[in-house]
Structures are given as structure tokens and as C-alpha cells.
Amino acid sequence: MRQYFGLVIVVFYMYGLLIWSAAKVKAQIAFDVVCPNVNIVQDFDMQKYSGVWFEIESYPDMINEFDICVSLSYSVQTDGVLQVVSSWFNTSSKAHESIQGSARFVNPGLGAKLLVTYPTSFVTESMSTDGNFWIIETDYKNYAIVFLCLPIGPNISFQFLSYLSRERFPFTMGLNFVHQRIETLGLDRTLLKPIDQTNCPSKAEK
């Protein structure tokens, strides 16, 4: 299966805005296939999903090549919106960076299809009726698999895939289990790249 890394800039910009909001700025890869049929987590429990998740692997992210120690912290607000704080360490600026946003159901009937927005993302609910952050599998306690697919033309789609863990360093058994689940779901895990979670500086360090 061939992957396209360069497409019409206007198309990339429009869909890039949606994916930008998914988890800070995430990469998307263009495939010469239609979007696969995937099951979305139903009866999604925001309270159980709340807390800290560490990004273990994701599709290549050229925009954020200097970012390590990526984590996402979720908390349910009184209005039912899921607040998300994305944090990371920038090895170029040698600084901790973060951004706060919100996630909400695009339609409760669609399960865990969320629309994640940040103050600087320029993404509004009217721009997406399908969300930009699909949780396709999670046990809430150990792992979550996040996926997004956006059709951009006949037999071409932008796809995003990420593996989140409650542990910064999941056991090999857990990692292998998630890889097997991704393959069972019919998704391409060969393009996943590990997110560096080692030697993460504390915020007190300069």
C-alpha cells in the first residue's frame, strides 16, 4: 500500500486544521485507499477516561520533531465538556510547553467521536460533523487507541493513529498487545513511530 506525503496544499491545509486540534499538532499520512470501517467506542465514559495519558507511538510527526515526553491530561468539567491539557518538552527551545483545549461529543449517537479544539486551532464545531479524535478502543485503565480518517478524494485518505498509555513506560507485553489489537482492527501499525518518553526533565530544571 503506497503512502503519499505531498498533496495539494489547500487540501492539506483544510484537513490539517482539523487534525491539528486532535492532540496539539498531530501528523497525518495520506494513503491511496478509502477510509477503513472502524468501530468507535460506544457508551464512552468520560469520567473513566479522565486523568493522564502518555503518548507512546503515533504516525510520523514532522511538525513536532523536537517534542518529547508528550502527555495528555483530561478532566470532566461541570458543563460535561472534557478539558484537555497537552504537555511536552521541546528539545530545541529547551522548554516545557503546553496548551489547554476542550473535547466534546460531536453526536452522542456516534460514540467516542470527539471534536477537540484549542484556542489557536481555528477549528469550530461547524467545520466537522464527524469529529477529529476517534477513540476506537480503550480499557480506560491501561491503553487507548486513537484514530482518524478523512477522505480527500477518490481512493485517497488522510489517516492519523496514536497509542496512548496510562504508563510512561508500558510493559513489553502491553505494547505487543496493543500492536496486535491495531492489526486486528485492520490498521497499519508499521508506520507508527515511538514518542521519546525517556529522560524527561522536570519543570524545575532549566
Side-chain angles (χ1 to χ4, degrees):
M1 180 166 55
R2 186 168 69 251
Q3 295 84 38
Y4 296 91
F5 289 88
L7 289 173
V8 179
I9 187 65
V10 174
V11 175
F12 179 87
Y13 175 75
M14 291 296 293
Y15 286 100
L17 282 177
L18 292 174
I19 298 178
W20 192 96
S21 292
K24 187 173 71 72
V25 182
K26 297 317 303 172
Q28 62 276 351
I29 294 178
F31 292 82
D32 60 345
V33 295
V34 297
C35 287
N37 291 321
V38 294
N39 293 321
I40 309 299
V41 172
Q42 299 299 311
D43 300 317
F44 180 66
D45 191 322
M46 283 190 174
Q47 290 289 354
K48 288 184 178 179
Y49 190 77
S50 295
V52 177
W53 292 92
F54 298 97
E55 188 169 45
I56 305 303
E57 295 178 333
S58 73
Y59 278 170
D61 193 346
M62 299 176 186
I63 299 175
N64 300 311
E65 60 179 326
F66 299 111
D67 295 351
I68 65 172
C69 307
V70 179
S71 66
L72 302 166
S73 179
Y74 295 91
S75 59
V76 180
Q77 305 302 293
T78 55
D79 58 0
V81 173
L82 193 62
Q83 177 181 284
V84 54
V85 178
S86 299
S87 305
W88 62 96
F89 183 79
N90 188 308
T91 58
S92 177
S93 64
K94 307 298 183 185
H96 288 275
E97 300 175 357
S98 65
I99 187 170
Q100 179 176 307
S102 62
R104 64 183 70 237
F105 291 111
V106 293
N107 183 333
L110 297 177
K113 282 190 174 183
L114 307 177
L115 180 65
V116 180
T117 57
Y118 291 97
T120 56
S121 67
F122 307 109
V123 176
T124 64
E125 292 185 37
S126 62
M127 294 179 65
S128 173
T129 58
D130 214 27
N132 60 358
F133 194 86
W134 304 349
I135 302 173
I136 60 175
E137 187 165 302
T138 184
D139 65 353
Y140 298 103
K141 298 179 180 180
N142 298 287
Y143 75 98
I145 301 173
V146 178
F147 181 67
L148 176 63
C149 187
L150 300 170
I152 59 174
N155 300 320
I156 300 178
S157 60
F158 271 139
Q159 297 185 27
F160 158 70
L161 181 64
S162 179
Y163 160 34
L164 306 179
S165 172
R166 288 295 192 184
E167 301 293 333
R168 189 183 294 276
F169 303 107
F171 291 112
T172 301
M173 182 180 297
L175 184 64
N176 291 339
F177 171 79
V178 172
H179 286 168
Q180 291 173 359
R181 292 302 305 147
I182 290 173
E183 292 177 347
T184 300
L185 293 168
L187 303 177
D188 188 348
R189 76 168 184 85
T190 63
L191 296 174
L192 286 171
K193 301 298 181 183
I195 306 300
D196 189 357
Q197 293 285 356
T198 61
N199 302 315
C200 295
S202 67
K203 290 188 177 182
E205 295 179 31
K206 299 293 184 178

